[in-house]
Amino acid sequence: MEKILTRDLANPQGHTLDAYLARGGYEALKKALAMPAAEIIDEVKKSNLRGAGGAGFPTGMKWSFIPKETTKPVYLVINADEGEPGTFKDRVILERIPHAMIEGAIIAMHAIRAKRCYVYVRGELVHAIRQLEHAIGEARAKGFLGKNVLGSGEDFEIHVHRGAGAYICGEETALLESLEGKQGKPRNKPPFPAIIGAWGAPTIVNNVETIAWVPTILTRGAAWFAGASNGTPRSGGMKLYAVSGHVKRPGVYELPMGVNLKDVIYEHCGGMLGDRKLKAVIPGGLSAAPLAADECDVKLEFDALQAKGSMLGSAGIMVIAEGTCMVNVHMRLVQFFAHESCGQCTPCREGTTWAFRTLKKIEQGEGTQAELDLLLDICRGMSGNTICVLSDSVALPSPVYMRKWADEYKAHVEKGCPFPAPWGGLGPFAAARH
Ligand SMILES: Cc1cc2nc3c(=O)[nH]c(=O)nc-3n(C[C@H](O)[C@H](O)[C@H](O)COP(=O)(O)O)c2cc1C
Ligand code: SF4
């Protein structure tokens, strides 16, 4: 199967400008600079490119929300925070193919009439930041950034901003607050960033992968991109899937949007670790509701997963084998979100912590049936009442775990965890379970 974004991953010099130019890099930019902005937005709309950051919002439509008559500066902000557990595709782009994102960013700036782009990168990604800064320097030296880019009369600049490692700073409005030097706490919406974003100016926030696909859309055409998916009329193109957990070959896979989940596990990833039976898959980062093994014959795309009560989200696919304690998996995810809640909203601040404490008791065999009911009640109060959807990341999947693996919760409150170490919890990936 042809690889586009990841075709140079085996080349140790694949991140350099020379390697990128050798494979036709920056040709899309030359084409884009000769096109009116509206025409580029139209191409991106027709390509069915959808945001890879989690919500899957149509990218071309988002770009068209920038007010046409604005007198303020317009900004492009690229979300490289990548804090969703199980998600590690953006890091690969930044470290190994940064020029794809840089070229996409310049095209996007031209399309939305921005001159400045800020890339907000998770601070721990030290190597990614170095690679990106080096690549930006190479692009500037070659005239792709700076004043009068390629004689177009337009000026474009890209700045790298390091985050301090808070998951909530991946939420676009918390990211903007953090970029402005404030505490990273989500804003009430509306207004959305396209109207009032960074420093009060119209701003498009897009994920790294979303932007990295833009040059391909311009070189191959919107129709090609839309048709490259595996029969998914509302979501175009190829997609990077980050696969982790109990598979033989975890990693980042570039595959058509809508590839079958079972094919990813058994063909591309070489099957289950230790040839154990599949128990569950979390298909879109830790916030996504889990699929049981008999639900995994499904297309990995936004609509098909939504129809199964889950989501593609950030396409971080966590594969879980039989023998794993689902109560433990559930407890760990709630612990993560409780730790990362920014604390602005009472249902989230109190609810995530309360849910974690309750689940911990249950997981350790000290809970009761009444506490299982309480847990569901806590979740009911947490959904739809908060500024951002972090609260829903606990409220929505929790009842799904409790319904699909009800026998395990019952066993925990009656006689304790039925799964022996080392395969309880997340198995070999979690040495200390309790
Ligand atoms: C709690 C939370 C964390 C998020 N973390 C990320 C992230 O790390 N990276 C990302 O691109 N989007 C993240 N998002 C989604 C962003 O808010 C936003 O939708 C996205 O960056 C838009 O880009 P896209 O349209 O290209 O997907 C997060 C959302 C929430 C609610
Ligand atoms: S839902 Fe949670 S993380 Fe989001 S703004 Fe409210 S308290 Fe903060």
Side-chain angles (χ1 to χ4, degrees), residues 223-379:
W224 179 89
F225 193 83
S229 70
N230 183 27
T232 56
R234 292 185 349 120
S235 316
M238 306 287 287
K239 180 84 193 80
L240 299 190
Y241 298 96
V243 191
S244 62
H246 297 143
V247 287
K248 288 183 181 156
R249 290 195 299 268
V252 174
Y253 290 86
E254 179 182 336
L255 295 164
M257 174 72 86
V259 62
N260 189 289
L261 172 54
K262 282 203 156 170
D263 291 345
V264 172
I265 298 172
Y266 292 103
E267 284 179 27
H268 301 286
C269 295
M272 296 295 292
L273 196 64
D275 294 319
R276 291 163 65 215
K277 261 183 78 184
L278 176 66
K279 180 169 188 177
V281 174
I282 304 172
L286 204 55
S287 333
L291 301 171
D294 61 1
E295 297 172 299
C296 289
D297 190 2
V298 62
K299 284 186 175 186
L300 285 171
E301 62 109 7
F302 296 101
D303 299 335
L305 284 167
Q306 199 179 346
K308 293 246 181 210
S310 187
M311 62 178 185
L312 181 62
S314 58
I317 297 165
M318 286 176 272
V319 181
I320 298 170
E322 276 295 353
T324 307
C325 171
M326 295 307 284
V327 180
N328 190 274
V329 173
H330 181 191
M331 181 194 74
R332 282 164 181 276
L333 83 89
V334 175
Q335 181 178 26
F336 172 80
F337 292 114
H339 185 259
E340 299 296 332
S341 166
C342 84
Q344 283 190 103
C345 321
T346 309
C348 175
R349 184 186 62 243
E350 301 299 324
T352 51
T353 310
W354 193 9
F356 169 60
R357 287 206 195 112
T358 310
L359 251 175
K360 193 172 172 197
K361 259 184 95 180
I362 295 164
E363 203 273 344
Q364 292 182 339
E366 293 158 11
T368 60
Q369 178 59 45
E371 278 161 321
L372 288 178
D373 298 338
L374 172 67
L375 193 52
L376 288 173
D377 206 33
I378 297 170
C379 290

Side-chain angles (χ1 to χ4, degrees), residues 51-57 62 79 81-84 90 167-168 170-172 205-207 210 388-390:
F57 195 84
K62 187 189 272 193
N79 191 340
D81 196 55
E82 196 159 63
E84 181 77 22
D90 297 339
Y167 168 70
I168 195 59
E171 194 281 338
E172 58 186 6
V205 183
N206 269 138
N207 171 263
T210 312
C388 86
V389 293
L390 185 142

Side-chain angles (χ1 to χ4, degrees), residues 65 188 190 302 315 429 434:
F65 291 157
N188 263 315
F302 296 101
F429 304 104
H434 295 293

Side-chain angles (χ1 to χ4, degrees), residues 74 86 131 162 181 214-215 231 262 300 322 383 405:
V74 175
Q131 297 286 87
R162 291 166 190 234
V214 169
K262 282 203 156 170
L300 285 171
E322 276 295 353
S383 189
W405 292 279

Side-chain angles (χ1 to χ4, degrees), residues 376-414:
L376 288 173
D377 206 33
I378 297 170
C379 290
R380 272 192 287 274
M382 286 171 67
S383 189
N385 296 320
T386 53
I387 296 173
C388 86
V389 293
L390 185 142
S391 191
D392 293 283
S393 302
V394 169
L396 301 183
S398 287
V400 179
Y401 281 90
M402 295 174 73
R403 178 169 44 81
K404 291 186 180 171
W405 292 279
D407 54 330
E408 292 184 24
Y409 289 82
K410 190 164 177 274
H412 275 76
V413 296
E414 286 176 353

Side-chain angles (χ1 to χ4, degrees), residues 17-289:
L17 180 60
D18 284 346
Y20 191 64
L21 290 174
R23 58 184 229 193
Y26 288 100
E27 289 304 317
L29 174 62
K30 289 176 193 158
K31 190 172 172 187
L33 289 176
M35 288 165 72
E39 209 177 295
I40 298 176
I41 295 181
D42 219 38
E43 276 294 285
V44 175
K45 274 187 187 165
K46 283 193 222 146
S47 75
N48 286 340
L49 175 66
R50 290 175 67 171
F57 195 84
T59 306
M61 190 190 294
K62 187 189 272 193
W63 291 5
S64 68
F65 291 157
I66 294 286
K68 299 227 168 6
E69 306 308 327
T70 184
T71 51
K72 294 179 180 169
V74 175
Y75 296 114
L76 173 68
V77 172
I78 299 185
N79 191 340
D81 196 55
E82 196 159 63
E84 181 77 22
T87 313
F88 43 91
K89 63 188 177 56
D90 297 339
R91 178 164 62 88
V92 169
I93 296 175
L94 296 174
E95 290 181 356
R96 314 284 290 278
I97 25 175
H99 281 288
M101 190 207 76
I102 294 170
E103 185 182 14
I106 307 168
I107 296 169
M109 280 192 272
H110 174 61
I112 63 170
R113 290 166 289 116
K115 294 186 185 316
R116 293 243 174 297
C117 165
Y118 294 89
V119 190
Y120 187 100
V121 194
R122 171 159 291 264
E124 292 97 319
L125 301 184
V126 177
H127 184 54
I129 292 168
R130 280 198 199 117
Q131 297 286 87
L132 178 61
E133 285 178 336
H134 178 75
I136 290 172
E138 284 184 313
R140 193 178 295 116
K142 199 81 179 172
F144 299 134
L145 284 171
K147 298 257 177 238
N148 191 19
V149 167
L150 300 179
S152 65
E154 294 197 66
D155 307 339
F156 300 116
E157 221 15 285
I158 300 182
H159 304 281
V160 178
H161 184 95
R162 291 166 190 234
Y167 168 70
I168 195 59
C169 287
E171 194 281 338
E172 58 186 6
T173 57
L175 183 155
L176 295 175
E177 288 285 296
S178 172
L179 183 65
E180 292 177 9
K182 297 179 235 156
Q183 279 189 9
K185 293 188 173 176
R187 298 174 182 167
N188 263 315
K189 292 178 284 253
F192 290 94
I195 310 299
I196 297 183
W199 299 283
T203 302
I204 292 297
V205 183
N206 269 138
N207 171 263
V208 171
E209 184 194 344
T210 312
I211 292 292
W213 281 117
V214 169
T216 305
I217 293 169
L218 286 203
T219 44
R220 300 206 175 200
W224 179 89
F225 193 83
S229 70
N230 183 27
T232 56
R234 292 185 349 120
S235 316
M238 306 287 287
K239 180 84 193 80
L240 299 190
Y241 298 96
V243 191
S244 62
H246 297 143
V247 287
K248 288 183 181 156
R249 290 195 299 268
V252 174
Y253 290 86
E254 179 182 336
L255 295 164
M257 174 72 86
V259 62
N260 189 289
L261 172 54
K262 282 203 156 170
D263 291 345
V264 172
I265 298 172
Y266 292 103
E267 284 179 27
H268 301 286
C269 295
M272 296 295 292
L273 196 64
D275 294 319
R276 291 163 65 215
K277 261 183 78 184
L278 176 66
K279 180 169 188 177
V281 174
I282 304 172
L286 204 55
S287 333

